[in-house]
Amino acid sequence: MLVDYHLHTVYSRHAEGTILEYIKRAEALGIKEVCFTEHTSRQYLTEEFRAKLPYKWMKDEELPKYLDDLDRVRQHTSLTIKRGLEVDFFAGFEKPLQAFLEKWPLDFVLGTIHFIPKYDMAHVGLVSDEPIKLLCNYFTLVRQAVETGLFDSMAHIHLPWQTVPWPEGNEGKQALEALGDVVKAAKANNMCLEINTRAFNFEDYGTIEVYRKFLGLMRDYGVPITMGSDSHLPSEVGRNYPTVIEELARFGINEVAVFDQRERELIPLQQKVRR
Ligand SMILES: [Zn+2]
Ligand SMILES: [Zn+2]
């Protein structure tokens, strides 16, 4: 089966397309299940903290409407539609975040790190620092998020290595250890990590060799994957799936996680995908 567990629509404020437009595209590609993952508006943060964040994304009052919309579109498709959110992790707000997540009828919570406190809340893609420092700072935050146990999967761990080049020599080893610590923590916390298929666009620094290091760790530690395109346009649904599925197969990764009311199930990943 093919699934896409990372989709943004107009609700996320920086994406285009309605829920129904994404569904039509998924149907055309033979994808059987999708999970929408709009950015939360961070209801679990204090006003003071929120004021530091550079983007607004989905408004608080839109969340119930978004969830209602997802229920409504089910009548127009044979696709399985899941209710998700992409939720930013900030250390110190675990309790209110937990209360927020328990309040809403969600199938899937995709944890995420976009903004880095150490860099004055800059978006990871806009940070300039020594590669080893950015990589280790980012992986430390992802590991902390994993260790809260509040999320089902963590999004796009590749962001820092598409911002800076992966270092050579000892620093390269050190970065790999920090990445390995995230994967180990995911295993220890019975959590998934995302294969974000946008990473396979390989713009800038993110080469296939670096992504393969990550896939090797996922295989070695036996961490289940979620898979998503991180679409911000309906045309991006299922992006790079043929390539990604071939890569996953090389590492013996042939199952993908799906969620229902936060309960995980592993299903076989479809092996042949039209290019
Ligand atoms: Zn994201
Ligand atoms: Zn996203």
Side-chain angles (χ1 to χ4, degrees):
M1 192 159 114
L2 287 180
V3 305
D4 192 334
Y5 260 58
H6 194 153
L7 301 174
H8 297 280
T9 74
V10 283
Y11 277 109
S12 280
R13 287 253 140 13
H14 60 297
E16 287 171 34
T18 63
I19 291 169
L20 207 51
E21 285 169 326
Y22 281 79
I23 286 168
K24 294 288 168 213
R25 179 66 184 154
E27 282 173 350
L29 292 170
I31 289 171
K32 299 288 184 236
E33 177 165 330
V34 293
C35 182
F36 288 86
T37 52
E38 307 293 356
H39 292 284
T40 55
S41 29
R42 304 154 227 189
Q43 290 91 331
Y44 46 92
L45 303 173
T46 57
E47 281 300 324
E48 191 193 0
F49 196 90
R50 290 170 65 155
K52 296 181 197 165
L53 300 176
Y55 305 108
K56 293 267 188 295
W57 293 344
M58 187 162 72
K59 292 181 180 167
D60 294 4
E61 63 272 23
E62 285 177 319
L63 179 52
K65 186 170 179 297
Y66 160 61
L67 295 171
D68 281 354
D69 267 5
L70 290 179
D71 287 338
R72 224 182 342 259
V73 292
R74 288 204 180 88
Q75 298 154 12
H76 303 285
T77 180
S78 58
L79 240 69
T80 304
I81 315 276
K82 294 293 169 64
R83 290 164 297 200
L85 287 176
E86 181 175 359
V87 178
D88 285 275
F89 164 73
F90 296 103
F93 292 94
E94 292 82 354
K95 278 246 159 63
L97 174 56
Q98 184 175 10
F100 169 74
L101 295 176
E102 283 169 0
K103 187 173 156 197
W104 298 97
L106 301 169
D107 292 304
F108 176 62
V109 177
L110 182 59
T112 194
I113 308 286
H114 296 108
F115 308 112
I116 308 187
K118 264 201 172 138
Y119 301 115
D120 218 10
M121 289 300 167
H123 187 282
V124 53
L126 302 173
V127 168
S128 57
D129 196 0
E130 287 171 47
I132 184 62
K133 287 192 182 154
L134 174 59
L135 288 163
C136 288
N137 286 336
Y138 192 85
F139 296 147
T140 300
L141 288 174
V142 181
R143 183 171 50 72
Q144 285 172 357
V146 166
E147 287 167 349
T148 66
L150 290 171
F151 307 104
D152 298 312
S153 184
M154 289 302 296
H156 50 57
I157 201 165
H158 69 279
L159 285 189
W161 75 73
Q162 286 198 342
T163 303
V164 293
W166 195 274
E168 305 278 327
N170 272 344
E171 287 190 347
K173 274 190 212 148
Q174 197 190 330
L176 194 59
E177 263 169 39
L179 178 60
D181 287 343
V182 179
V183 179
K184 257 188 263 182
K187 182 68 186 174
N189 288 275
N190 188 25
M191 219 185 107
C192 300
L193 294 175
E194 178 189 69
I195 304 303
N196 184 295
T197 66
R198 186 188 205 173
F200 286 73
N201 287 2
F202 299 120
E203 308 126 341
D204 307 325
Y205 299 116
T207 64
I208 186 78
E209 286 69 31
V210 174
Y211 211 89
R212 282 177 183 151
K213 291 182 207 285
F214 172 52
L215 292 181
L217 288 164
M218 292 294 280
R219 174 201 54 205
D220 293 348
Y221 288 101
V223 172
I225 66 161
T226 61
M227 186 163 165
S229 60
D230 207 348
S231 290
H232 287 68
L233 288 171
S235 60
E236 293 171 341
V237 175
R239 79 172 108 187
N240 300 325
Y241 270 33
T243 308
V244 173
I245 282 168
E246 275 174 29
E247 281 299 324
L248 291 171
R250 285 170 56 122
F251 288 87
I253 299 170
N254 50 28
E255 285 184 321
V256 65
V258 293
F259 289 81
D260 193 74
Q261 295 176 55
R262 314 258 349 242
E263 288 283 324
R264 181 172 83 205
E265 185 188 352
L266 291 176
I267 58 165
L269 196 52
Q270 184 179 318
Q271 290 302 306
K272 285 219 165 64
V273 189
R274 275 198 316 273
R275 279 193 182 268

PDB file of all heavy atoms in Angstrom, residues 6 8 14 37 39 57 86-88 110-114 123 138 155-156 159 194 196 198 230 232, ligand 1:
ATOM      1  N   HIS A   6       2.109  13.358   5.284  1.00  0.00           N
ATOM      2  CA  HIS A   6       2.625  14.704   5.570  1.00  0.00           C
ATOM      3  C   HIS A   6       2.130  15.657   4.483  1.00  0.00           C
ATOM      4  O   HIS A   6       2.768  15.814   3.450  1.00  0.00           O
ATOM      5  CB  HIS A   6       4.156  14.675   5.647  1.00  0.00           C
ATOM      6  CG  HIS A   6       4.757  15.911   6.244  1.00  0.00           C
ATOM      7  ND1 HIS A   6       5.972  15.902   6.895  1.00  0.00           N
ATOM      8  CD2 HIS A   6       4.320  17.196   6.292  1.00  0.00           C
ATOM      9  CE1 HIS A   6       6.257  17.127   7.318  1.00  0.00           C
ATOM     10  NE2 HIS A   6       5.269  17.942   6.952  1.00  0.00           N
ATOM     11  N   HIS A   8       0.191  19.556   3.690  1.00  0.00           N
ATOM     12  CA  HIS A   8      -0.264  20.879   4.138  1.00  0.00           C
ATOM     13  C   HIS A   8      -1.207  21.458   3.096  1.00  0.00           C
ATOM     14  O   HIS A   8      -0.955  21.332   1.891  1.00  0.00           O
ATOM     15  CB  HIS A   8       0.925  21.831   4.285  1.00  0.00           C
ATOM     16  CG  HIS A   8       1.905  21.392   5.317  1.00  0.00           C
ATOM     17  ND1 HIS A   8       1.720  21.602   6.657  1.00  0.00           N
ATOM     18  CD2 HIS A   8       3.082  20.724   5.209  1.00  0.00           C
ATOM     19  CE1 HIS A   8       2.739  21.090   7.336  1.00  0.00           C
ATOM     20  NE2 HIS A   8       3.578  20.553   6.476  1.00  0.00           N
ATOM     21  N   HIS A  14       0.909  28.805   4.301  1.00  0.00           N
ATOM     22  CA  HIS A  14       1.988  29.021   3.349  1.00  0.00           C
ATOM     23  C   HIS A  14       1.955  27.898   2.318  1.00  0.00           C
ATOM     24  O   HIS A  14       2.943  27.658   1.633  1.00  0.00           O
ATOM     25  CB  HIS A  14       3.344  29.078   4.060  1.00  0.00           C
ATOM     26  CG  HIS A  14       3.672  27.826   4.813  1.00  0.00           C
ATOM     27  ND1 HIS A  14       2.916  27.390   5.858  1.00  0.00           N
ATOM     28  CD2 HIS A  14       4.628  26.901   4.646  1.00  0.00           C
ATOM     29  CE1 HIS A  14       3.410  26.253   6.315  1.00  0.00           C
ATOM     30  NE2 HIS A  14       4.450  25.927   5.583  1.00  0.00           N
ATOM     31  N   THR A  37      -1.464  17.095   7.888  1.00  0.00           N
ATOM     32  CA  THR A  37      -0.626  17.462   9.045  1.00  0.00           C
ATOM     33  C   THR A  37      -0.389  18.971   9.043  1.00  0.00           C
ATOM     34  O   THR A  37       0.739  19.427   8.860  1.00  0.00           O
ATOM     35  CB  THR A  37       0.736  16.728   8.961  1.00  0.00           C
ATOM     36  OG1 THR A  37       1.288  16.973   7.646  1.00  0.00           O
ATOM     37  CG2 THR A  37       0.609  15.241   9.187  1.00  0.00           C
ATOM     38  N   HIS A  39       0.241  22.720  10.271  1.00  0.00           N
ATOM     39  CA  HIS A  39       1.015  23.271  11.383  1.00  0.00           C
ATOM     40  C   HIS A  39       0.062  23.785  12.456  1.00  0.00           C
ATOM     41  O   HIS A  39      -0.882  24.493  12.147  1.00  0.00           O
ATOM     42  CB  HIS A  39       1.861  24.460  10.907  1.00  0.00           C
ATOM     43  CG  HIS A  39       2.958  24.069   9.986  1.00  0.00           C
ATOM     44  ND1 HIS A  39       4.110  23.479  10.423  1.00  0.00           N
ATOM     45  CD2 HIS A  39       3.097  24.192   8.643  1.00  0.00           C
ATOM     46  CE1 HIS A  39       4.911  23.257   9.393  1.00  0.00           C
ATOM     47  NE2 HIS A  39       4.319  23.664   8.295  1.00  0.00           N
ATOM     48  N   TRP A  57       1.126  30.560  10.785  1.00  0.00           N
ATOM     49  CA  TRP A  57       0.530  29.277  10.385  1.00  0.00           C
ATOM     50  C   TRP A  57      -0.955  29.179  10.779  1.00  0.00           C
ATOM     51  O   TRP A  57      -1.621  30.188  10.875  1.00  0.00           O
ATOM     52  CB  TRP A  57       1.396  28.118  10.890  1.00  0.00           C
ATOM     53  CG  TRP A  57       2.732  28.118  10.178  1.00  0.00           C
ATOM     54  CD1 TRP A  57       3.029  28.780   9.030  1.00  0.00           C
ATOM     55  CD2 TRP A  57       3.942  27.458  10.565  1.00  0.00           C
ATOM     56  NE1 TRP A  57       4.339  28.536   8.684  1.00  0.00           N
ATOM     57  CE2 TRP A  57       4.917  27.742   9.594  1.00  0.00           C
ATOM     58  CE3 TRP A  57       4.286  26.639  11.647  1.00  0.00           C
ATOM     59  CZ2 TRP A  57       6.217  27.242   9.661  1.00  0.00           C
ATOM     60  CZ3 TRP A  57       5.566  26.138  11.705  1.00  0.00           C
ATOM     61  CH2 TRP A  57       6.530  26.438  10.726  1.00  0.00           C
ATOM     62  N   GLU A  86       1.155  18.747  12.464  1.00  0.00           N
ATOM     63  CA  GLU A  86       2.618  18.851  12.603  1.00  0.00           C
ATOM     64  C   GLU A  86       2.864  19.841  13.735  1.00  0.00           C
ATOM     65  O   GLU A  86       2.493  21.016  13.647  1.00  0.00           O
ATOM     66  CB  GLU A  86       3.260  19.334  11.291  1.00  0.00           C
ATOM     67  CG  GLU A  86       4.779  19.420  11.395  1.00  0.00           C
ATOM     68  CD  GLU A  86       5.466  19.771  10.078  1.00  0.00           C
ATOM     69  OE1 GLU A  86       4.772  19.940   9.051  1.00  0.00           O
ATOM     70  OE2 GLU A  86       6.706  19.894  10.083  1.00  0.00           O
ATOM     71  N   VAL A  87       3.469  19.341  14.801  1.00  0.00           N
ATOM     72  CA  VAL A  87       3.490  20.068  16.069  1.00  0.00           C
ATOM     73  C   VAL A  87       4.928  20.391  16.472  1.00  0.00           C
ATOM     74  O   VAL A  87       5.737  19.487  16.676  1.00  0.00           O
ATOM     75  CB  VAL A  87       2.826  19.202  17.168  1.00  0.00           C
ATOM     76  CG1 VAL A  87       2.870  19.906  18.507  1.00  0.00           C
ATOM     77  CG2 VAL A  87       1.392  18.855  16.786  1.00  0.00           C
ATOM     78  N   ASP A  88       5.223  21.665  16.622  1.00  0.00           N
ATOM     79  CA  ASP A  88       6.576  22.081  17.025  1.00  0.00           C
ATOM     80  C   ASP A  88       6.851  21.727  18.487  1.00  0.00           C
ATOM     81  O   ASP A  88       6.016  21.962  19.353  1.00  0.00           O
ATOM     82  CB  ASP A  88       6.741  23.596  16.857  1.00  0.00           C
ATOM     83  CG  ASP A  88       6.896  23.975  15.407  1.00  0.00           C
ATOM     84  OD1 ASP A  88       8.035  23.932  14.899  1.00  0.00           O
ATOM     85  OD2 ASP A  88       5.865  24.294  14.769  1.00  0.00           O
ATOM     86  N   LEU A 110       2.698  14.473  14.329  1.00  0.00           N
ATOM     87  CA  LEU A 110       4.031  14.515  13.730  1.00  0.00           C
ATOM     88  C   LEU A 110       4.826  15.601  14.447  1.00  0.00           C
ATOM     89  O   LEU A 110       4.560  16.792  14.281  1.00  0.00           O
ATOM     90  CB  LEU A 110       3.891  14.832  12.240  1.00  0.00           C
ATOM     91  CG  LEU A 110       5.170  14.889  11.405  1.00  0.00           C
ATOM     92  CD1 LEU A 110       5.927  13.555  11.443  1.00  0.00           C
ATOM     93  CD2 LEU A 110       4.833  15.244   9.949  1.00  0.00           C
ATOM     94  N   GLY A 111       5.767  15.169  15.276  1.00  0.00           N
ATOM     95  CA  GLY A 111       6.606  16.140  15.978  1.00  0.00           C
ATOM     96  C   GLY A 111       7.566  16.794  15.003  1.00  0.00           C
ATOM     97  O   GLY A 111       7.913  16.217  13.965  1.00  0.00           O
ATOM     98  N   THR A 112       8.016  17.994  15.343  1.00  0.00           N
ATOM     99  CA  THR A 112       8.843  18.718  14.386  1.00  0.00           C
ATOM    100  C   THR A 112       9.710  19.757  15.088  1.00  0.00           C
ATOM    101  O   THR A 112       9.334  20.295  16.121  1.00  0.00           O
ATOM    102  CB  THR A 112       7.931  19.376  13.324  1.00  0.00           C
ATOM    103  OG1 THR A 112       8.704  19.811  12.231  1.00  0.00           O
ATOM    104  CG2 THR A 112       7.154  20.541  13.882  1.00  0.00           C
ATOM    105  N   ILE A 113      10.876  19.976  14.521  1.00  0.00           N
ATOM    106  CA  ILE A 113      11.730  21.087  14.960  1.00  0.00           C
ATOM    107  C   ILE A 113      11.957  21.973  13.741  1.00  0.00           C
ATOM    108  O   ILE A 113      12.580  21.549  12.762  1.00  0.00           O
ATOM    109  CB  ILE A 113      13.125  20.590  15.449  1.00  0.00           C
ATOM    110  CG1 ILE A 113      13.017  19.470  16.492  1.00  0.00           C
ATOM    111  CG2 ILE A 113      13.964  21.771  15.934  1.00  0.00           C
ATOM    112  CD1 ILE A 113      12.592  19.876  17.860  1.00  0.00           C
ATOM    113  N   HIS A 114      11.421  23.194  13.803  1.00  0.00           N
ATOM    114  CA  HIS A 114      11.694  24.181  12.759  1.00  0.00           C
ATOM    115  C   HIS A 114      12.562  25.312  13.306  1.00  0.00           C
ATOM    116  O   HIS A 114      13.378  25.871  12.599  1.00  0.00           O
ATOM    117  CB  HIS A 114      10.406  24.811  12.228  1.00  0.00           C
ATOM    118  CG  HIS A 114       9.497  23.860  11.533  1.00  0.00           C
ATOM    119  ND1 HIS A 114       8.307  23.441  12.081  1.00  0.00           N
ATOM    120  CD2 HIS A 114       9.593  23.238  10.338  1.00  0.00           C
ATOM    121  CE1 HIS A 114       7.711  22.605  11.247  1.00  0.00           C
ATOM    122  NE2 HIS A 114       8.460  22.458  10.179  1.00  0.00           N
ATOM    123  N   HIS A 123      14.604  29.825  11.854  1.00  0.00           N
ATOM    124  CA  HIS A 123      14.233  28.593  11.157  1.00  0.00           C
ATOM    125  C   HIS A 123      15.531  27.866  10.784  1.00  0.00           C
ATOM    126  O   HIS A 123      16.497  28.499  10.353  1.00  0.00           O
ATOM    127  CB  HIS A 123      13.431  28.925   9.898  1.00  0.00           C
ATOM    128  CG  HIS A 123      12.871  27.719   9.227  1.00  0.00           C
ATOM    129  ND1 HIS A 123      13.628  26.895   8.448  1.00  0.00           N
ATOM    130  CD2 HIS A 123      11.624  27.191   9.233  1.00  0.00           C
ATOM    131  CE1 HIS A 123      12.869  25.901   7.992  1.00  0.00           C
ATOM    132  NE2 HIS A 123      11.651  26.061   8.459  1.00  0.00           N
ATOM    133  N   TYR A 138      20.709  20.520  16.176  1.00  0.00           N
ATOM    134  CA  TYR A 138      19.409  20.073  15.649  1.00  0.00           C
ATOM    135  C   TYR A 138      19.089  18.654  16.132  1.00  0.00           C
ATOM    136  O   TYR A 138      17.998  18.387  16.629  1.00  0.00           O
ATOM    137  CB  TYR A 138      19.395  20.143  14.120  1.00  0.00           C
ATOM    138  CG  TYR A 138      17.993  19.980  13.548  1.00  0.00           C
ATOM    139  CD1 TYR A 138      17.138  21.078  13.430  1.00  0.00           C
ATOM    140  CD2 TYR A 138      17.520  18.738  13.162  1.00  0.00           C
ATOM    141  CE1 TYR A 138      15.857  20.933  12.936  1.00  0.00           C
ATOM    142  CE2 TYR A 138      16.227  18.594  12.657  1.00  0.00           C
ATOM    143  CZ  TYR A 138      15.410  19.697  12.537  1.00  0.00           C
ATOM    144  OH  TYR A 138      14.127  19.556  12.053  1.00  0.00           O
ATOM    145  N   ALA A 155       9.309  14.659  12.081  1.00  0.00           N
ATOM    146  CA  ALA A 155       9.367  15.069  10.682  1.00  0.00           C
ATOM    147  C   ALA A 155      10.799  15.400  10.244  1.00  0.00           C
ATOM    148  O   ALA A 155      11.642  15.790  11.056  1.00  0.00           O
ATOM    149  CB  ALA A 155       8.496  16.308  10.478  1.00  0.00           C
ATOM    150  N   HIS A 156      11.015  15.243   8.976  1.00  0.00           N
ATOM    151  CA  HIS A 156      12.172  15.793   8.230  1.00  0.00           C
ATOM    152  C   HIS A 156      13.459  16.046   9.008  1.00  0.00           C
ATOM    153  O   HIS A 156      13.925  17.180   9.129  1.00  0.00           O
ATOM    154  CB  HIS A 156      11.781  17.076   7.488  1.00  0.00           C
ATOM    155  CG  HIS A 156      11.068  18.151   8.282  1.00  0.00           C
ATOM    156  ND1 HIS A 156      11.587  18.702   9.408  1.00  0.00           N
ATOM    157  CD2 HIS A 156       9.878  18.769   8.072  1.00  0.00           C
ATOM    158  CE1 HIS A 156      10.755  19.629   9.861  1.00  0.00           C
ATOM    159  NE2 HIS A 156       9.711  19.678   9.073  1.00  0.00           N
ATOM    160  N   LEU A 159      16.557  18.278   7.553  1.00  0.00           N
ATOM    161  CA  LEU A 159      16.631  19.741   7.321  1.00  0.00           C
ATOM    162  C   LEU A 159      18.027  20.333   7.542  1.00  0.00           C
ATOM    163  O   LEU A 159      18.485  21.116   6.708  1.00  0.00           O
ATOM    164  CB  LEU A 159      15.604  20.481   8.184  1.00  0.00           C
ATOM    165  CG  LEU A 159      14.140  20.407   7.760  1.00  0.00           C
ATOM    166  CD1 LEU A 159      13.308  21.373   8.609  1.00  0.00           C
ATOM    167  CD2 LEU A 159      13.944  20.700   6.288  1.00  0.00           C
ATOM    168  N   GLU A 194      10.266   9.905  10.425  1.00  0.00           N
ATOM    169  CA  GLU A 194       9.697  10.109   9.092  1.00  0.00           C
ATOM    170  C   GLU A 194      10.738   9.986   7.984  1.00  0.00           C
ATOM    171  O   GLU A 194      11.854  10.514   8.110  1.00  0.00           O
ATOM    172  CB  GLU A 194       9.079  11.504   9.017  1.00  0.00           C
ATOM    173  CG  GLU A 194       8.500  11.825   7.648  1.00  0.00           C
ATOM    174  CD  GLU A 194       8.085  13.284   7.520  1.00  0.00           C
ATOM    175  OE1 GLU A 194       8.966  14.168   7.502  1.00  0.00           O
ATOM    176  OE2 GLU A 194       6.879  13.539   7.447  1.00  0.00           O
ATOM    177  N   ASN A 196      10.947  11.685   4.836  1.00  0.00           N
ATOM    178  CA  ASN A 196      10.330  12.852   4.209  1.00  0.00           C
ATOM    179  C   ASN A 196      10.799  12.879   2.758  1.00  0.00           C
ATOM    180  O   ASN A 196      11.980  13.111   2.477  1.00  0.00           O
ATOM    181  CB  ASN A 196      10.772  14.106   4.972  1.00  0.00           C
ATOM    182  CG  ASN A 196      10.119  15.365   4.476  1.00  0.00           C
ATOM    183  OD1 ASN A 196      10.347  15.776   3.344  1.00  0.00           O
ATOM    184  ND2 ASN A 196       9.312  15.995   5.318  1.00  0.00           N
ATOM    185  N   ARG A 198      10.434  14.783   0.360  1.00  0.00           N
ATOM    186  CA  ARG A 198      10.937  16.048  -0.175  1.00  0.00           C
ATOM    187  C   ARG A 198      12.467  16.078  -0.122  1.00  0.00           C
ATOM    188  O   ARG A 198      13.118  16.722  -0.950  1.00  0.00           O
ATOM    189  CB  ARG A 198      10.382  17.187   0.682  1.00  0.00           C
ATOM    190  CG  ARG A 198      10.680  18.550   0.209  1.00  0.00           C
ATOM    191  CD  ARG A 198      10.227  19.524   1.288  1.00  0.00           C
ATOM    192  NE  ARG A 198       9.941  20.827   0.741  1.00  0.00           N
ATOM    193  CZ  ARG A 198       9.400  21.808   1.445  1.00  0.00           C
ATOM    194  NH1 ARG A 198       9.048  21.619   2.703  1.00  0.00           N
ATOM    195  NH2 ARG A 198       9.183  22.977   0.892  1.00  0.00           N
ATOM    196  N   ASP A 230       5.450  15.963   2.511  1.00  0.00           N
ATOM    197  CA  ASP A 230       5.554  17.350   2.972  1.00  0.00           C
ATOM    198  C   ASP A 230       5.067  18.302   1.871  1.00  0.00           C
ATOM    199  O   ASP A 230       5.683  19.326   1.598  1.00  0.00           O
ATOM    200  CB  ASP A 230       7.006  17.661   3.359  1.00  0.00           C
ATOM    201  CG  ASP A 230       7.117  18.750   4.408  1.00  0.00           C
ATOM    202  OD1 ASP A 230       6.111  19.414   4.673  1.00  0.00           O
ATOM    203  OD2 ASP A 230       8.226  18.944   4.935  1.00  0.00           O
ATOM    204  N   HIS A 232       3.218  21.071  -0.155  1.00  0.00           N
ATOM    205  CA  HIS A 232       2.625  22.390   0.045  1.00  0.00           C
ATOM    206  C   HIS A 232       1.822  22.808  -1.192  1.00  0.00           C
ATOM    207  O   HIS A 232       1.323  23.920  -1.284  1.00  0.00           O
ATOM    208  CB  HIS A 232       3.703  23.421   0.390  1.00  0.00           C
ATOM    209  CG  HIS A 232       4.239  23.252   1.789  1.00  0.00           C
ATOM    210  ND1 HIS A 232       4.997  22.166   2.176  1.00  0.00           N
ATOM    211  CD2 HIS A 232       4.109  24.024   2.902  1.00  0.00           C
ATOM    212  CE1 HIS A 232       5.312  22.284   3.465  1.00  0.00           C
ATOM    213  NE2 HIS A 232       4.789  23.410   3.924  1.00  0.00           N
TER     214      HIS A 232
HETATM  215 ZN    ZN B   1       7.955  20.904   8.784  1.00  0.00          ZN
END
